[in-house]
Amino acid sequence: ARRSARAPAARVAVRAMADEAPEAPEGVEQLIDVRVGKVIKAYKHEEADKLYVEEVDVGEAEPRQICSGLVPYMNAEDIEGQLVVVLANLKSRNMAGVASHGMLLCASDDSHEKVELLVCPEGAVPGERIKFGAWDAEQAEAHTENQMKKKKTWEKVAPGLRTTDGCVAAYKDLEMVTSAGAVTCKSIAGGTIG
């Protein structure tokens, strides 16, 4: 009962964010640094009921620690071992006392009752940058964490991210692709991504 009571507020917040989103210039999707990550470990946050803390290999010297509000939607075991999509150029934030260095991207239905991880196909390499459109296409250099915040890059891109009828993640009509193929979710067609 508690979750359904909060769902309308979440929908309003998402709608308000989309309404306030700055104009998205052509090619803005290339400025977000979206990477393949392999979840090494996922466990419940000690101080927050709805948060998991994940340790994610994104091809750096040490795994990244990322907090995500996925407890109401899936078990930690459903996350561990997955090749996920990590938004890597967000400024770190403190989430109930734990530093979070990025965001796992997920698909959700319009009511936000169903949420699924975006996953990369087997063979995708942790740390590789995910592209929009053709794998062999040139891609602009991603914004730094400070540029992302100052220029509101994520706020410009997020409203254009959706899953296709075939459950493929896309920005407008440009599919998200890795060296091993397209990024997908399990079953949410036409869903939002965030």
Side-chain angles (χ1 to χ4, degrees), residues 33 35 38 40-41 53-58 60 62-67 86-90 92 99-103 145:
D33 189 5
R35 300 210 172 253
K38 182 166 181 100
I40 299 164
K41 186 177 180 182
V53 179
E54 298 99 6
E55 293 175 17
V56 185
D57 175 6
V58 291
E60 298 169 337
E62 296 289 322
R64 281 191 185 213
Q65 180 174 275
I66 298 174
C67 296
V86 176
L87 180 55
N89 57 341
L90 289 178
S92 297
S100 182
H101 305 281
M103 180 167 74
E145 293 174 359

Side-chain angles (χ1 to χ4, degrees), residues 125-143:
V125 180
E128 84 177 33
R129 190 162 172 212
I130 296 169
K131 294 185 176 184
F132 294 89
W135 175 251
D136 57 1
E138 287 293 317
Q139 187 161 340
E141 189 173 325
H143 273 169

Side-chain angles (χ1 to χ4, degrees), residues 73-74 105-108 114-118 185-188:
Y73 307 105
M74 59 192 74
L105 294 185
C106 295
S108 72
K114 185 175 183 182
V115 174
E116 297 174 353
L117 289 171
L118 291 185
C185 67
K186 192 182 291 183
S187 65
I188 299 173

Side-chain angles (χ1 to χ4, degrees), residues 1-76:
R2 208 188 211 198
R3 191 171 88 204
S4 61
R6 292 186 178 176
R11 281 195 302 272
V12 169
V14 169
R15 260 191 237 116
M17 186 174 85
D19 291 344
E20 295 169 12
E23 184 72 22
E26 177 133 356
V28 71
E29 74 283 353
Q30 295 181 26
L31 302 176
I32 62 172
D33 189 5
V34 191
R35 300 210 172 253
V36 176
K38 182 166 181 100
V39 180
I40 299 164
K41 186 177 180 182
Y43 53 93
K44 280 194 171 179
H45 190 298
E46 291 180 8
E47 302 294 323
D49 293 342
K50 294 186 179 188
L51 293 179
Y52 284 123
V53 179
E54 298 99 6
E55 293 175 17
V56 185
D57 175 6
V58 291
E60 298 169 337
E62 296 289 322
R64 281 191 185 213
Q65 180 174 275
I66 298 174
C67 296
S68 59
L70 298 174
V71 171
Y73 307 105
M74 59 192 74
N75 297 318

